[in-house]
Amino acid sequence: MQTVSDPQSLREQVQAWQKNGLTVALVPTMGNLHAGHLSLIDRAREAADRVVVSVFVNPLQFGPNEDFDDYPRTLTDDERQCRQQGADLLFAPGVAVMYPGYRHGQPYLATRLQADPRLAQTFEGADRPGHFDGVVTVVAKLFHLVQPDVAVFGQKDLQQYAVLEKMVTDLAMPVRLIRTPIVRETDGLALSSRNQYLNSAERALAPSLAQTLQSVCVRIQDAPAKSASILQQASQDLQALGFQVHYFSLVALPTLQAVIDPQMPCRDDGSEFAVVVAATLGQTRLLDNRILRLS
Ligand code: PAF
């Protein structure tokens, strides 16, 4: 596996594959790879002949008081894991490649995309203004640089997936998106690079989020008409344990519209629903979700 940081070496390699009729999958990441990312690489290998993993900690998707400076950067280890997992190319651009301009002494990208506000200003977007604009901008740029046939993202960031799917549709981007299931620790905690910020007491408590989510889904599945009270009670239970709950909602996919009456849901294009939750424990924001099919 080769690691490249400049667009020309990347394009030469990808074009050589595509000239030989090989398909290419991209797995965009911010590095600090864990088993969740490795499952994306596995899925990418199933979906295409060659796999490119990108590692770029994208400043544009972090708010001013978020953890951009502290975000773990572990490129040597990421490279080792990508090689072991069978990736074919690691693209690790410097900030000057992705943000070639300068403004107030900082790297800057003057041309940006705006994520669909209906999808991007609720849930994570309500608490992290501009976050999804940063995500769509960097992912669109990665798509232009790599020109993949397929790109793989995790269900863990379900809202991110919905926003990116909309971007691809709205802008007719010639790439197919694949969503892969959440990978969990044995105690149920959804894997995330940010789990390492939890201290040991918080880590012991953290699986309660996944456990509560699971029991909420079972109960909603049994009694969809009671979903509002089930979610409200579950939020209170988590608060009592020490979580600060930001949202705990039943939504319809792919629009992420909150479902008020699950007996008469806004069914969108299909009948997929999800329960989405975000809660902060100490300083760490934890996200989780489960997909539901309500009949
Ligand atoms: O999910 C992530 O790691 C990031 O949001 C992504 C998609 C790589 C864009 O920076």
Side-chain angles (χ1 to χ4, degrees), residues 215-241:
S215 91
V216 158
C217 289
V218 170
R219 291 167 63 206
I220 290 182
Q221 200 93 57
D222 285 350
K226 293 191 182 149
S227 63
S229 61
I230 293 169
L231 289 161
Q232 195 184 10
Q233 183 59 53
S235 295
Q236 284 168 7
D237 294 347
L238 285 175
Q239 298 273 155
L241 285 173

PDB file of all heavy atoms in Angstrom, residues 215-241:
ATOM      1  N   SER A 215     -33.263  -0.440  24.580  1.00  0.00           N
ATOM      2  CA  SER A 215     -34.553  -0.749  25.215  1.00  0.00           C
ATOM      3  C   SER A 215     -35.646   0.191  24.696  1.00  0.00           C
ATOM      4  O   SER A 215     -36.797  -0.220  24.527  1.00  0.00           O
ATOM      5  CB  SER A 215     -34.424  -0.763  26.739  1.00  0.00           C
ATOM      6  OG  SER A 215     -34.692   0.486  27.262  1.00  0.00           O
ATOM      7  N   VAL A 216     -35.279   1.428  24.379  1.00  0.00           N
ATOM      8  CA  VAL A 216     -36.256   2.351  23.780  1.00  0.00           C
ATOM      9  C   VAL A 216     -36.765   1.789  22.450  1.00  0.00           C
ATOM     10  O   VAL A 216     -37.970   1.812  22.155  1.00  0.00           O
ATOM     11  CB  VAL A 216     -35.599   3.744  23.577  1.00  0.00           C
ATOM     12  CG1 VAL A 216     -36.322   4.552  22.525  1.00  0.00           C
ATOM     13  CG2 VAL A 216     -35.573   4.506  24.886  1.00  0.00           C
ATOM     14  N   CYS A 217     -35.849   1.252  21.648  1.00  0.00           N
ATOM     15  CA  CYS A 217     -36.258   0.740  20.327  1.00  0.00           C
ATOM     16  C   CYS A 217     -37.194  -0.451  20.474  1.00  0.00           C
ATOM     17  O   CYS A 217     -38.196  -0.550  19.752  1.00  0.00           O
ATOM     18  CB  CYS A 217     -35.034   0.359  19.496  1.00  0.00           C
ATOM     19  SG  CYS A 217     -34.132   1.819  18.980  1.00  0.00           S
ATOM     20  N   VAL A 218     -36.886  -1.322  21.413  1.00  0.00           N
ATOM     21  CA  VAL A 218     -37.769  -2.482  21.627  1.00  0.00           C
ATOM     22  C   VAL A 218     -39.158  -1.994  22.033  1.00  0.00           C
ATOM     23  O   VAL A 218     -40.181  -2.457  21.517  1.00  0.00           O
ATOM     24  CB  VAL A 218     -37.166  -3.417  22.716  1.00  0.00           C
ATOM     25  CG1 VAL A 218     -38.165  -4.493  23.125  1.00  0.00           C
ATOM     26  CG2 VAL A 218     -35.865  -4.025  22.222  1.00  0.00           C
ATOM     27  N   ARG A 219     -39.172  -0.999  22.928  1.00  0.00           N
ATOM     28  CA  ARG A 219     -40.473  -0.521  23.414  1.00  0.00           C
ATOM     29  C   ARG A 219     -41.241   0.226  22.329  1.00  0.00           C
ATOM     30  O   ARG A 219     -42.458   0.080  22.202  1.00  0.00           O
ATOM     31  CB  ARG A 219     -40.269   0.329  24.671  1.00  0.00           C
ATOM     32  CG  ARG A 219     -39.804  -0.558  25.847  1.00  0.00           C
ATOM     33  CD  ARG A 219     -39.280   0.229  27.006  1.00  0.00           C
ATOM     34  NE  ARG A 219     -40.304   1.072  27.585  1.00  0.00           N
ATOM     35  CZ  ARG A 219     -40.067   2.197  28.252  1.00  0.00           C
ATOM     36  NH1 ARG A 219     -38.832   2.615  28.415  1.00  0.00           N
ATOM     37  NH2 ARG A 219     -41.039   2.884  28.755  1.00  0.00           N
ATOM     38  N   ILE A 220     -40.548   0.999  21.517  1.00  0.00           N
ATOM     39  CA  ILE A 220     -41.251   1.722  20.427  1.00  0.00           C
ATOM     40  C   ILE A 220     -41.774   0.724  19.396  1.00  0.00           C
ATOM     41  O   ILE A 220     -42.880   0.873  18.870  1.00  0.00           O
ATOM     42  CB  ILE A 220     -40.325   2.770  19.769  1.00  0.00           C
ATOM     43  CG1 ILE A 220     -40.083   3.915  20.746  1.00  0.00           C
ATOM     44  CG2 ILE A 220     -40.935   3.297  18.464  1.00  0.00           C
ATOM     45  CD1 ILE A 220     -39.228   5.049  20.212  1.00  0.00           C
ATOM     46  N   GLN A 221     -40.960  -0.287  19.135  1.00  0.00           N
ATOM     47  CA  GLN A 221     -41.399  -1.301  18.174  1.00  0.00           C
ATOM     48  C   GLN A 221     -42.712  -1.956  18.647  1.00  0.00           C
ATOM     49  O   GLN A 221     -43.622  -2.189  17.853  1.00  0.00           O
ATOM     50  CB  GLN A 221     -40.301  -2.376  18.085  1.00  0.00           C
ATOM     51  CG  GLN A 221     -40.339  -3.222  16.856  1.00  0.00           C
ATOM     52  CD  GLN A 221     -39.441  -2.648  15.755  1.00  0.00           C
ATOM     53  OE1 GLN A 221     -38.255  -2.467  15.967  1.00  0.00           O
ATOM     54  NE2 GLN A 221     -40.030  -2.365  14.627  1.00  0.00           N
ATOM     55  N   ASP A 222     -42.810  -2.190  19.972  1.00  0.00           N
ATOM     56  CA  ASP A 222     -44.016  -2.821  20.531  1.00  0.00           C
ATOM     57  C   ASP A 222     -45.192  -1.854  20.580  1.00  0.00           C
ATOM     58  O   ASP A 222     -46.336  -2.268  20.438  1.00  0.00           O
ATOM     59  CB  ASP A 222     -43.759  -3.279  21.977  1.00  0.00           C
ATOM     60  CG  ASP A 222     -42.901  -4.524  22.008  1.00  0.00           C
ATOM     61  OD1 ASP A 222     -42.684  -5.110  20.930  1.00  0.00           O
ATOM     62  OD2 ASP A 222     -42.432  -4.881  23.105  1.00  0.00           O
ATOM     63  N   ALA A 223     -44.903  -0.587  20.848  1.00  0.00           N
ATOM     64  CA  ALA A 223     -45.998   0.378  21.061  1.00  0.00           C
ATOM     65  C   ALA A 223     -45.625   1.712  20.426  1.00  0.00           C
ATOM     66  O   ALA A 223     -45.342   2.696  21.126  1.00  0.00           O
ATOM     67  CB  ALA A 223     -46.239   0.554  22.566  1.00  0.00           C
ATOM     68  N   PRO A 224     -45.629   1.783  19.075  1.00  0.00           N
ATOM     69  CA  PRO A 224     -45.197   3.020  18.408  1.00  0.00           C
ATOM     70  C   PRO A 224     -45.982   4.247  18.853  1.00  0.00           C
ATOM     71  O   PRO A 224     -45.434   5.349  18.923  1.00  0.00           O
ATOM     72  CB  PRO A 224     -45.428   2.732  16.915  1.00  0.00           C
ATOM     73  CG  PRO A 224     -45.678   1.281  16.786  1.00  0.00           C
ATOM     74  CD  PRO A 224     -46.017   0.730  18.127  1.00  0.00           C
ATOM     75  N   ALA A 225     -47.252   4.055  19.206  1.00  0.00           N
ATOM     76  CA  ALA A 225     -48.069   5.212  19.585  1.00  0.00           C
ATOM     77  C   ALA A 225     -47.558   5.853  20.872  1.00  0.00           C
ATOM     78  O   ALA A 225     -47.877   7.009  21.160  1.00  0.00           O
ATOM     79  CB  ALA A 225     -49.515   4.779  19.748  1.00  0.00           C
ATOM     80  N   LYS A 226     -46.767   5.109  21.628  1.00  0.00           N
ATOM     81  CA  LYS A 226     -46.283   5.666  22.910  1.00  0.00           C
ATOM     82  C   LYS A 226     -44.862   6.209  22.787  1.00  0.00           C
ATOM     83  O   LYS A 226     -44.183   6.420  23.788  1.00  0.00           O
ATOM     84  CB  LYS A 226     -46.311   4.560  23.979  1.00  0.00           C
ATOM     85  CG  LYS A 226     -47.700   4.100  24.329  1.00  0.00           C
ATOM     86  CD  LYS A 226     -47.659   3.222  25.571  1.00  0.00           C
ATOM     87  CE  LYS A 226     -49.067   2.728  25.872  1.00  0.00           C
ATOM     88  NZ  LYS A 226     -49.072   1.422  26.503  1.00  0.00           N
ATOM     89  N   SER A 227     -44.390   6.395  21.556  1.00  0.00           N
ATOM     90  CA  SER A 227     -42.964   6.735  21.398  1.00  0.00           C
ATOM     91  C   SER A 227     -42.578   8.022  22.122  1.00  0.00           C
ATOM     92  O   SER A 227     -41.507   8.101  22.723  1.00  0.00           O
ATOM     93  CB  SER A 227     -42.574   6.794  19.925  1.00  0.00           C
ATOM     94  OG  SER A 227     -43.279   7.796  19.276  1.00  0.00           O
ATOM     95  N   ALA A 228     -43.456   9.036  22.091  1.00  0.00           N
ATOM     96  CA  ALA A 228     -43.077  10.318  22.724  1.00  0.00           C
ATOM     97  C   ALA A 228     -42.809  10.128  24.213  1.00  0.00           C
ATOM     98  O   ALA A 228     -41.794  10.600  24.746  1.00  0.00           O
ATOM     99  CB  ALA A 228     -44.182  11.349  22.490  1.00  0.00           C
ATOM    100  N   SER A 229     -43.706   9.400  24.898  1.00  0.00           N
ATOM    101  CA  SER A 229     -43.500   9.243  26.348  1.00  0.00           C
ATOM    102  C   SER A 229     -42.326   8.299  26.630  1.00  0.00           C
ATOM    103  O   SER A 229     -41.573   8.493  27.593  1.00  0.00           O
ATOM    104  CB  SER A 229     -44.781   8.781  27.041  1.00  0.00           C
ATOM    105  OG  SER A 229     -45.151   7.527  26.523  1.00  0.00           O
ATOM    106  N   ILE A 230     -42.127   7.299  25.763  1.00  0.00           N
ATOM    107  CA  ILE A 230     -40.983   6.385  25.956  1.00  0.00           C
ATOM    108  C   ILE A 230     -39.664   7.172  25.862  1.00  0.00           C
ATOM    109  O   ILE A 230     -38.759   7.034  26.683  1.00  0.00           O
ATOM    110  CB  ILE A 230     -41.022   5.254  24.891  1.00  0.00           C
ATOM    111  CG1 ILE A 230     -42.241   4.352  25.123  1.00  0.00           C
ATOM    112  CG2 ILE A 230     -39.728   4.446  24.893  1.00  0.00           C
ATOM    113  CD1 ILE A 230     -42.532   3.370  23.968  1.00  0.00           C
ATOM    114  N   LEU A 231     -39.590   8.051  24.857  1.00  0.00           N
ATOM    115  CA  LEU A 231     -38.358   8.829  24.654  1.00  0.00           C
ATOM    116  C   LEU A 231     -38.138   9.829  25.784  1.00  0.00           C
ATOM    117  O   LEU A 231     -37.018  10.034  26.244  1.00  0.00           O
ATOM    118  CB  LEU A 231     -38.434   9.566  23.307  1.00  0.00           C
ATOM    119  CG  LEU A 231     -38.327   8.654  22.080  1.00  0.00           C
ATOM    120  CD1 LEU A 231     -38.872   9.339  20.837  1.00  0.00           C
ATOM    121  CD2 LEU A 231     -36.876   8.232  21.861  1.00  0.00           C
ATOM    122  N   GLN A 232     -39.236  10.418  26.233  1.00  0.00           N
ATOM    123  CA  GLN A 232     -39.114  11.404  27.315  1.00  0.00           C
ATOM    124  C   GLN A 232     -38.610  10.737  28.604  1.00  0.00           C
ATOM    125  O   GLN A 232     -37.703  11.233  29.270  1.00  0.00           O
ATOM    126  CB  GLN A 232     -40.466  12.057  27.556  1.00  0.00           C
ATOM    127  CG  GLN A 232     -40.341  13.319  28.372  1.00  0.00           C
ATOM    128  CD  GLN A 232     -41.718  13.902  28.696  1.00  0.00           C
ATOM    129  OE1 GLN A 232     -42.747  13.257  28.472  1.00  0.00           O
ATOM    130  NE2 GLN A 232     -41.727  15.089  29.225  1.00  0.00           N
ATOM    131  N   GLN A 233     -39.184   9.567  28.905  1.00  0.00           N
ATOM    132  CA  GLN A 233     -38.773   8.845  30.109  1.00  0.00           C
ATOM    133  C   GLN A 233     -37.301   8.420  30.004  1.00  0.00           C
ATOM    134  O   GLN A 233     -36.517   8.553  30.949  1.00  0.00           O
ATOM    135  CB  GLN A 233     -39.682   7.606  30.309  1.00  0.00           C
ATOM    136  CG  GLN A 233     -39.390   6.808  31.572  1.00  0.00           C
ATOM    137  CD  GLN A 233     -39.535   7.679  32.827  1.00  0.00           C
ATOM    138  OE1 GLN A 233     -40.570   8.313  33.030  1.00  0.00           O
ATOM    139  NE2 GLN A 233     -38.486   7.733  33.661  1.00  0.00           N
ATOM    140  N   ALA A 234     -36.914   7.961  28.818  1.00  0.00           N
ATOM    141  CA  ALA A 234     -35.532   7.508  28.623  1.00  0.00           C
ATOM    142  C   ALA A 234     -34.547   8.676  28.788  1.00  0.00           C
ATOM    143  O   ALA A 234     -33.479   8.511  29.384  1.00  0.00           O
ATOM    144  CB  ALA A 234     -35.384   6.884  27.238  1.00  0.00           C
ATOM    145  N   SER A 235     -34.925   9.854  28.291  1.00  0.00           N
ATOM    146  CA  SER A 235     -34.058  11.037  28.465  1.00  0.00           C
ATOM    147  C   SER A 235     -33.884  11.347  29.942  1.00  0.00           C
ATOM    148  O   SER A 235     -32.776  11.623  30.409  1.00  0.00           O
ATOM    149  CB  SER A 235     -34.666  12.276  27.813  1.00  0.00           C
ATOM    150  OG  SER A 235     -34.744  12.110  26.453  1.00  0.00           O
ATOM    151  N   GLN A 236     -34.993  11.284  30.667  1.00  0.00           N
ATOM    152  CA  GLN A 236     -34.911  11.575  32.112  1.00  0.00           C
ATOM    153  C   GLN A 236     -34.026  10.552  32.818  1.00  0.00           C
ATOM    154  O   GLN A 236     -33.234  10.896  33.691  1.00  0.00           O
ATOM    155  CB  GLN A 236     -36.313  11.570  32.730  1.00  0.00           C
ATOM    156  CG  GLN A 236     -37.089  12.833  32.383  1.00  0.00           C
ATOM    157  CD  GLN A 236     -38.575  12.730  32.743  1.00  0.00           C
ATOM    158  OE1 GLN A 236     -39.022  11.773  33.377  1.00  0.00           O
ATOM    159  NE2 GLN A 236     -39.345  13.698  32.327  1.00  0.00           N
ATOM    160  N   ASP A 237     -34.142   9.289  32.415  1.00  0.00           N
ATOM    161  CA  ASP A 237     -33.311   8.244  33.043  1.00  0.00           C
ATOM    162  C   ASP A 237     -31.832   8.525  32.798  1.00  0.00           C
ATOM    163  O   ASP A 237     -30.998   8.389  33.695  1.00  0.00           O
ATOM    164  CB  ASP A 237     -33.669   6.857  32.477  1.00  0.00           C
ATOM    165  CG  ASP A 237     -35.090   6.429  32.842  1.00  0.00           C
ATOM    166  OD1 ASP A 237     -35.705   7.080  33.725  1.00  0.00           O
ATOM    167  OD2 ASP A 237     -35.595   5.461  32.229  1.00  0.00           O
ATOM    168  N   LEU A 238     -31.508   8.925  31.558  1.00  0.00           N
ATOM    169  CA  LEU A 238     -30.097   9.212  31.246  1.00  0.00           C
ATOM    170  C   LEU A 238     -29.606  10.439  32.022  1.00  0.00           C
ATOM    171  O   LEU A 238     -28.482  10.451  32.530  1.00  0.00           O
ATOM    172  CB  LEU A 238     -29.914   9.439  29.745  1.00  0.00           C
ATOM    173  CG  LEU A 238     -29.961   8.184  28.857  1.00  0.00           C
ATOM    174  CD1 LEU A 238     -29.893   8.574  27.384  1.00  0.00           C
ATOM    175  CD2 LEU A 238     -28.818   7.223  29.191  1.00  0.00           C
ATOM    176  N   GLN A 239     -30.457  11.460  32.108  1.00  0.00           N
ATOM    177  CA  GLN A 239     -30.076  12.669  32.878  1.00  0.00           C
ATOM    178  C   GLN A 239     -29.772  12.275  34.323  1.00  0.00           C
ATOM    179  O   GLN A 239     -28.796  12.738  34.894  1.00  0.00           O
ATOM    180  CB  GLN A 239     -31.224  13.697  32.881  1.00  0.00           C
ATOM    181  CG  GLN A 239     -31.624  14.251  31.528  1.00  0.00           C
ATOM    182  CD  GLN A 239     -30.820  15.471  31.080  1.00  0.00           C
ATOM    183  OE1 GLN A 239     -30.716  15.718  29.898  1.00  0.00           O
ATOM    184  NE2 GLN A 239     -30.229  16.208  32.000  1.00  0.00           N
ATOM    185  N   ALA A 240     -30.628  11.393  34.869  1.00  0.00           N
ATOM    186  CA  ALA A 240     -30.446  10.999  36.269  1.00  0.00           C
ATOM    187  C   ALA A 240     -29.124  10.251  36.463  1.00  0.00           C
ATOM    188  O   ALA A 240     -28.508  10.313  37.528  1.00  0.00           O
ATOM    189  CB  ALA A 240     -31.627  10.127  36.714  1.00  0.00           C
ATOM    190  N   LEU A 241     -28.666   9.587  35.410  1.00  0.00           N
ATOM    191  CA  LEU A 241     -27.378   8.874  35.503  1.00  0.00           C
ATOM    192  C   LEU A 241     -26.187   9.818  35.355  1.00  0.00           C
ATOM    193  O   LEU A 241     -25.048   9.412  35.566  1.00  0.00           O
ATOM    194  CB  LEU A 241     -27.302   7.819  34.390  1.00  0.00           C
ATOM    195  CG  LEU A 241     -28.131   6.549  34.561  1.00  0.00           C
ATOM    196  CD1 LEU A 241     -28.055   5.699  33.290  1.00  0.00           C
ATOM    197  CD2 LEU A 241     -27.620   5.750  35.763  1.00  0.00           C
TER     198      LEU A 241
END
